[in-house]
Amino acid sequence: MAERAIPVYLFTGFLDSGKTTFIQETLEDPKFNDGLKTLLILCEDGEEEYIPDKFMDKSVAIRKIDSPEKLMYQYMKLLQDTTRCEKIIIEYNGMWSLDKLYEAMPRNWMVYQEMAFFDGTTFLNYNDNMRQLVYDKMKSAETLVFNRFSRVMDKMKFHKVVRAANRRCDILYEYGPNDVEIDNIEDPLPFDLNKDVVEIEDKDYAIWYANINEEEENYYGKTLRFKGRTLIGGGLDKDEVVVGRHIMSCCVDDIQFGGLVSKWKGANELEQGGWVIIQARVEREYNKMYDSQGPVLHISSLEKSQPPEDEVATFY
């Protein structure tokens, strides 16, 4: 018999970014108190302390995890069983990898909401010096809140950093109590999807690749032209080649190859890792490399090319 799903509300960010205050207010809110027994997991000690007497539900179980080594499935399952919780709030440590938490969570823990909090006065400095940790907290958040923001700050600087990691999350700027502004800066694509041939410039490859993965239905039937490297073999059919580029989302450690399966009659004769410019029509097809339906490029023209000025594509 499958275990019942337990909703998890995940709050991430660095020390003194506003997580504790927000969670305290959430637990004081009668709308959140729906009669389900709550487990509050604390992964760091900030300057702000919780006041359980103000919680609407006085039976909230509070447990602390003081080391990332305790983020193991067995321990998380033990917390669930001993508290008999029906929903979970996690205040996560900004210095710990989110992947470690997700790997440790029991399968029946379902993240219903993930919010990231940052101090607006220190965020850009953190991003300059600890980019990987900042990216880690932004990449899967549904909502990102900049606390201690002021109207003299340039929102575009913050917006660009966030959108390089996460193109879908809501961004909020908090100037003070009950004074919050929603980011409404538009992010138009740097290429025109209405053109007969959609030209993807070298500098826009990372944005295009992220967009086609997020909104692939917008690309079916479109003809694209872009530069990439060719990968052959590895289980591909003789008329198949993967065309793509290495992409850096955050830093050198996270560089990955991003490409799409493409059909070309002379695929098996192409140079492994060679640079080409292709023009191709995007079709939705099943492919064994995806093990599902997905975008497959049907190449109509292919020409050898020199590498782009920056061989690794970025979002900047």
Side-chain angles (χ1 to χ4, degrees):
M1 183 176 178
E3 285 191 277
R4 58 181 172 77
I6 298 180
V8 175
Y9 300 85
L10 175 59
F11 301 93
T12 70
F14 299 104
L15 273 173
D16 303 324
S17 60
K19 300 189 301 294
T20 302
T21 299
F22 187 89
I23 295 172
Q24 175 74 38
E25 292 173 352
T26 298
L27 289 169
E28 291 178 15
D29 188 345
K31 294 180 181 178
F32 187 79
N33 179 31
D34 52 10
L36 298 180
K37 184 171 178 57
T38 302
L39 167 63
L40 172 58
I41 299 177
L42 307 180
C43 298
E44 65 183 5
D45 291 316
E47 291 185 5
E48 295 291 330
E49 294 186 359
Y50 287 98
I51 309 173
D53 289 345
K54 290 188 176 182
F55 294 167
M56 285 298 298
D57 179 2
K58 301 299 190 291
S59 65
V60 174
I62 301 177
R63 299 291 185 271
K64 293 187 177 182
I65 297 179
D66 55 13
S67 166
E69 283 70 35
K70 289 186 178 179
L71 290 174
M72 297 184 295
Y73 167 83
Q74 294 87 346
Y75 186 66
M76 308 296 264
K77 186 67 166 60
L78 178 65
L79 291 180
Q80 173 189 319
D81 294 342
T82 55
T83 62
R84 298 182 180 274
C85 61
E86 297 170 287
K87 64 182 176 183
I88 298 169
I89 295 176
I90 301 176
E91 181 180 0
Y92 200 59
N93 192 311
M95 304 304 290
W96 301 352
S97 165
L98 262 179
D99 290 343
K100 189 169 181 63
L101 172 65
Y102 276 103
E103 290 168 2
M105 288 195 304
R107 287 189 177 183
N108 62 315
W109 290 24
M110 304 297 177
V111 177
Y112 272 36
Q113 184 179 38
E114 181 180 333
M115 294 183 67
F117 291 78
F118 293 100
D119 182 334
T121 64
T122 60
F123 173 76
L124 296 178
N125 186 51
Y126 269 97
N127 186 62
D128 287 341
N129 295 285
M130 296 191 297
R131 170 66 181 167
Q132 191 165 5
L133 282 171
V134 172
Y135 175 86
D136 180 64
K137 305 307 174 292
M138 294 189 295
K139 64 183 180 181
S140 55
E142 298 165 63
T143 304
L144 194 148
V145 181
F146 287 112
N147 287 303
R148 303 181 182 91
F149 213 77
S150 73
R151 299 188 190 280
V152 299
M153 293 180 180
D154 183 356
K155 290 195 292 291
M156 182 57 78
K157 289 183 179 179
F158 293 78
H159 176 94
K160 285 183 176 179
V161 172
V162 175
R163 287 293 177 249
N166 187 327
R167 292 183 61 83
R168 290 175 173 251
C169 72
D170 293 324
I171 306 172
L172 305 180
Y173 304 101
E174 185 175 78
Y175 300 106
N178 302 314
D179 189 3
V180 178
E181 181 181 359
I182 299 175
D183 185 305
N184 58 6
I185 298 173
E186 293 188 12
D187 291 295
L189 293 171
F191 42 83
D192 188 352
L193 279 176
N194 295 315
K195 290 282 186 69
D196 290 339
V197 177
V198 182
E199 297 272 357
I200 311 298
E201 295 187 24
D202 294 343
K203 63 182 178 61
D204 299 325
Y205 184 89
I207 293 174
W208 164 75
Y209 187 74
N211 189 248
I212 197 172
N213 277 280
E214 292 172 354
E215 301 178 3
E216 62 183 56
E217 65 281 355
N218 293 339
Y219 288 85
Y220 292 129
K222 302 290 185 181
T223 298
L224 311 177
R225 183 177 174 83
F226 64 89
K227 181 184 295 185
R229 304 187 79 167
T230 56
L231 297 184
I232 56 177
L236 290 165
D237 291 341
K238 289 184 177 180
D239 66 340
E240 291 179 342
V241 55
V242 172
V243 182
R245 290 178 60 183
H246 285 93
I247 300 173
M248 182 171 67
S249 299
C250 161
C251 48
V252 173
D253 291 339
D254 81 341
I255 293 176
Q256 295 183 343
F257 190 83
L260 297 177
V261 175
S262 307
K263 297 280 190 177
W264 176 247
K265 58 183 182 297
N268 62 336
E269 299 176 1
L270 293 170
E271 176 189 359
Q272 183 75 283
W275 287 95
V276 296
I277 295 175
I278 67 167
Q279 185 163 306
R281 182 178 174 86
V282 186
E283 301 290 354
R284 186 174 190 269
E285 298 175 1
Y286 174 85
N287 190 275
K288 61 185 178 182
M289 300 304 291
Y290 301 149
D291 194 26
S292 66
Q293 297 274 343
V296 174
L297 303 181
H298 287 256
I299 300 174
S300 57
S301 69
L302 181 151
E303 57 190 89
K304 292 184 178 180
S305 173
Q306 293 298 312
E309 184 176 349
D310 295 313
E311 294 194 19
V312 176
T314 68
F315 291 88
Y316 293 97

